[in-house]
Amino acid sequence: MRRAIRAIAALGLLAGSAVTAFAVAGPAAADTQICDQYGSTTIGGRYIVMNNRWGTSAEQCINVTGTGFSITSQQGVGNTSGAPVSYPAVYLGCHYTKCSPGTNLPMQVSAISSATSSISYQYVSGATYDAAYDIWLDPSPKTDGVNQQEIMIWFNRQGSIQPIGSVVGTTTIGGRSWEVWRGSNGSNAVISYVAPAAIASWSFSVLDFINDVKNRGAITSSWYLTSIQAGFEPWIGGAGLAVTDFSAAVNSGGQATTSPTTSPTTAPTTSPTTGGTAACRVTYGTNVWSGGFTANVTVANTGSSAINGWALGFTLPSGQAITSSWNANLTGSSGAITARNVTWNGGVAAGANTSFGFQGTYSGTFTSPPAFTLNGSTCTTA
């Protein structure tokens, strides 16, 4: 859902956000269709997809896949001198009380060691829209209501529409040139980066954009990253627009500053890593037979703060391949592997542990992975 109140046409303000409320359904099966105005579901055990038809009474439907969504029908028509009619999107983090499964957001900017994302869009002709990638930040670890700073990355712009505010210059981020706009929609500040030509897919550092906004004096390192979102703002038409693939990860490793004393009780805490070796220990137990094996991986939180959302990275030795897994979402089947928590085991209290497992095949001599990283920082091994 978008977060800015949309009485903005009279102010000469265009793309931004709308205040809405939505309920999250269970995980999406293949080709799940959502037509409810604020309907949503989870995908990949990690992200939330929302329909968020906030600006029109006309029907909009989206088809949700395991890696994104597509707009299957869009009947609303917006005023191109005003606001778009909706913001269907997929996101990581917390948005209007709804947090994606196992997320470690909000996270203080000073505590972020890396924030990366990969996005692939599918575009259509004859419609008026922007492909909007949103990054939200706030002075507190806010998990409800409007955040104070919105970063918009316009991967594509079609029709006579423009971002909120006015052009303040150009910059280069991630090896690409961007036109920079800055303004306010009356509810939150917005800095927009507009690509001179459509970008269909890109893997990039979200932190590069956050640092540019910080260098402009809009935020400080004590602010919190609350969510990362990718979708579309259609004004006219839009059926066929799709996010075909979305992924994002935020890793801790910086030195967090003091949190505000008024932080919400529902806000997730961040990983207690401070760079170098994380406050974690990994036990890698195996059962090996000729050509095959199972592994049980136990991740212990040896720090003094809870971990909310974890990603364990390791590299399988040459000749090994994973065929099935349980209690974690695995990216990769050989070589570099990332195991991410599922919905129910993302929180690990100080002194507690969680575990997952997988089965695989191997050739040659069986050996264990040499090292493990938790949310980007190295763990000890038992």
Side-chain angles (χ1 to χ4, degrees):
M1 80 207 57
R2 305 295 279 168
R3 299 186 180 170
I5 298 175
R6 284 298 191 176
I8 62 175
L11 300 176
L13 306 176
L14 302 180
S17 313
V19 174
T20 51
F22 70 105
V24 179
D31 299 322
T32 298
Q33 180 170 266
I34 298 176
C35 296
D36 292 345
Q37 184 173 7
Y38 301 123
S40 64
T41 189
T42 60
I43 62 172
R46 183 170 172 79
Y47 309 110
I48 291 176
V49 176
M50 57 186 179
N51 192 27
N52 194 25
R53 176 178 51 82
W54 62 267
T56 178
S57 59
E59 184 179 77
Q60 171 182 278
C61 295
I62 61 174
N63 184 67
V64 182
T65 68
T67 58
F69 69 92
S70 63
I71 302 176
T72 55
S73 67
Q74 170 54 263
Q75 306 300 323
V77 177
N79 182 350
T80 56
S81 62
V85 298
S86 64
Y87 178 57
V90 55
Y91 72 86
L92 172 78
C94 298
H95 187 70
Y96 275 80
T97 75
K98 303 301 180 183
C99 295
S100 59
T103 185
N104 57 357
L105 299 181
M107 184 182 293
Q108 201 165 46
V109 171
S110 61
I112 299 173
S113 61
S114 66
T116 57
S117 184
S118 181
I119 178 71
S120 293
Y121 285 107
Q122 175 180 293
Y123 300 132
V124 298
S125 58
T128 299
Y129 65 91
D130 68 76
Y133 192 103
D134 269 21
I135 305 163
W136 286 94
L137 301 112
D138 195 81
S140 68
K142 195 168 189 177
T143 59
D144 61 348
V146 180
N147 284 188
Q148 291 191 24
Q149 181 66 57
E150 177 184 14
I151 301 173
M152 293 193 73
I153 308 173
W154 283 35
F155 277 65
N156 191 7
R157 169 171 55 171
Q158 296 296 314
S160 56
I161 56 175
Q162 68 181 48
I164 288 171
S166 58
V167 177
V168 295
T170 59
T171 191
T172 299
I173 299 177
R176 296 179 180 272
S177 297
W178 305 91
E179 185 179 68
V180 184
W181 293 63
R182 190 166 184 174
S184 172
N185 57 26
S187 182
N188 57 268
V190 185
I191 295 180
S192 302
Y193 298 85
V194 181
I199 302 171
S201 62
W202 194 29
S203 296
F204 64 102
S205 170
V206 172
L207 192 57
D208 287 348
F209 287 91
I210 293 174
N211 286 335
D212 187 78
V213 169
K214 184 174 66 173
N215 291 338
R216 295 175 187 275
I219 66 169
T220 69
S221 294
S222 65
W223 282 47
Y224 289 80
L225 171 64
T226 61
S227 68
I228 297 171
Q229 311 178 358
F232 297 95
E233 290 186 316
W235 272 257
I236 303 171
L241 292 171
V243 171
T244 59
D245 189 69
F246 171 81
S247 64
V250 180
N251 296 317
S252 62
Q255 182 62 53
T257 56
T258 303
S259 300
T261 57
T262 57
S263 59
T265 58
T266 57
T269 58
T270 60
S271 171
T273 58
T274 56
T277 300
C280 59
R281 182 180 63 253
V282 173
T283 303
Y284 190 79
T286 58
N287 179 30
V288 182
W289 61 93
S290 178
F293 72 100
T294 59
N296 184 72
V297 186
T298 300
V299 182
N301 178 4
T302 58
S304 58
S305 301
I307 295 171
N308 193 343
W310 51 265
L312 188 75
F314 56 96
T315 299
L316 287 178
S318 177
Q320 295 185 17
I322 295 173
T323 57
S324 63
S325 63
W326 51 92
N327 296 344
N329 294 311
L330 269 59
T331 301
S333 59
S334 62
I337 307 294
T338 300
R340 294 184 173 88
N341 63 273
V342 291
T343 305
W344 55 267
N345 66 358
V348 186
N353 63 68
T354 189
S355 63
F356 67 94
F358 54 86
Q359 183 169 331
T361 60
Y362 75 96
S363 59
T365 302
F366 181 84
T367 57
S368 299
F372 298 86
T373 61
L374 182 66
N375 293 343
S377 296
T378 303
C379 293
T380 60
T381 55

